[in-house]
Amino acid sequence: MRTVTVGDNCMDVYQKSGEVYPGGNPLNVAVYLRGLGADSAYIGWVGSDQYSEKMVKAIQEKGVDISHLSRKEGKTAVTFVEMVGNDRRFGEYDEGVMKHFCLTTEELHYIQTYQLIHSGIWGHADKYYSLFKENGMLTSFDFSDQLDHDLVKTLPKFVDYPFFSYTKDDAFIRQFLKDVKNQGSKIAVATLGENGSLAYDGIQFYQCGAVEANVVDTMGAGDSFISGFIYGLLKGQPIENCLELGTESAAKTISYFGAW
């Protein structure tokens, strides 16, 4: 099982405590997939500052292939995080060197040696998805809670497994997932926070409730859900099991501070 993730990474800076943790959707997914047993690689840019050293060391310790991680002159991306109870709230985001992220021809060829490619809404990799799809790769993409983003109208035809973040199982999200699926995706998925998750495969909806967990920090919950779901898919599991794997993975992540 070979997976590669592409796009944003950042250092999550918790403003009150001053603690700093590595994160970013594509990077988190690579780390979680590796933890589940997949062969995972991550491609992105870090800066030339002290955060880049911390980032690289942390990824290496998790066993993710970063042979195509590049260091660029400038700042590593930073997200400032505020805790409201046990829930994380994102503040200011400085993209740093990732603002100008792009892939080289060699990296594009390298990516296509993998089975599945994953990126996210802030990863600057969406423009390559038609190429990945045309070359037979499985594709997944995290649209986060940006349900009104322009990419929702154009990208799903190149994304087998699009993921969205919403709040509850209602008529709106069900119709939304149907519309996304009808653009050409295989399975459209929405995480619903404490209300579980929902998936649509063009025939029926699948639901999975949240599990009880000791919530310390919700950072990375959605990314770990995506990883569990993808892992299940690549193992040939039915959709119900994939939702359960995603839910179990997320429950573990919210039991500690930081994404990983």
Side-chain angles (χ1 to χ4, degrees):
M1 184 185 303
R2 286 171 52 78
T3 60
V4 57
T5 70
V6 178
D8 54 305
N9 67 79
C10 65
M11 295 304 293
D12 294 321
V13 179
Y14 286 67
Q15 292 181 287
K16 188 173 182 179
S17 68
E19 294 292 331
V20 179
Y21 302 94
N25 171 261
L27 175 55
N28 289 345
V29 170
V31 170
Y32 294 138
L33 280 168
R34 183 70 188 111
L36 289 167
D39 178 5
S40 71
Y42 167 71
I43 299 175
W45 290 359
V46 295
S48 53
D49 54 5
Q50 61 179 0
Y51 281 155
S52 70
E53 299 294 334
K54 187 177 181 69
M55 177 76 74
V56 170
K57 182 179 180 181
I59 304 171
Q60 289 175 328
E61 288 175 351
K62 292 297 183 179
V64 174
D65 183 337
I66 52 172
S67 59
H68 287 70
L69 177 71
S70 299
R71 292 177 186 263
K72 302 292 182 178
E73 190 65 32
K75 295 189 295 184
T76 301
V78 170
T79 298
F80 292 97
V81 181
E82 179 185 359
M83 293 299 295
V84 179
N86 295 326
D87 192 20
R88 54 96 179 99
R89 302 285 174 85
F90 293 119
E92 183 182 349
Y93 173 49
D94 182 351
E95 276 194 289
V97 297
M98 276 300 303
K99 183 176 183 178
H100 303 290
F101 177 73
C102 60
L103 292 168
T104 66
T105 300
E106 191 276 331
E107 287 168 341
L108 288 168
H109 287 309
Y110 171 76
I111 287 168
Q112 291 168 60
T113 66
Y114 283 81
Q115 183 179 4
L116 178 141
I117 166 77
H118 174 82
S119 190
I121 196 81
W122 295 285
H124 300 293
D126 51 276
K127 59 188 173 184
Y128 305 107
Y129 263 63
S130 59
L131 174 64
F132 300 147
K133 192 62 184 161
E134 288 167 9
N135 283 278
M137 295 189 73
L138 290 174
T139 56
S140 71
F141 193 90
D142 181 22
F143 290 87
S144 186
D145 60 357
Q146 305 296 296
L147 276 60
D148 294 325
H149 199 285
D150 287 344
L151 283 178
V152 176
K153 301 177 181 67
T154 60
L155 196 60
K157 62 184 175 181
F158 304 118
V159 180
D160 295 313
Y161 310 113
F163 294 88
F164 301 88
S165 176
Y166 190 58
T167 56
K168 59 184 177 180
D169 182 356
D170 61 13
F172 169 80
I173 195 63
R174 286 185 173 236
Q175 186 59 52
F176 180 88
L177 292 179
K178 281 185 177 181
D179 292 343
V180 169
K181 170 67 179 72
N182 289 339
Q183 288 189 55
S185 297
K186 292 182 178 179
I187 304 170
V189 184
T191 56
L192 308 173
E194 62 184 13
N195 293 308
S197 55
L198 186 68
Y200 180 67
D201 66 353
I203 300 173
Q204 69 180 84
F205 284 95
Y206 302 84
Q207 298 168 286
C208 184
V211 298
E212 280 198 30
N214 177 31
V215 182
V216 173
D217 178 6
T218 57
M219 180 71 78
D223 302 340
S224 56
F225 175 92
I226 290 171
S227 305
F229 191 92
I230 289 173
Y231 185 76
L233 286 173
L234 296 180
K235 295 282 282 186
Q237 295 292 313
I239 295 174
E240 301 96 316
N241 290 19
C242 294
L243 289 172
E244 290 173 2
L245 283 168
T247 301
E248 291 167 3
S249 181
K252 293 177 182 177
T253 299
I254 63 178
S255 67
Y256 55 80
F257 278 104
W260 38 275

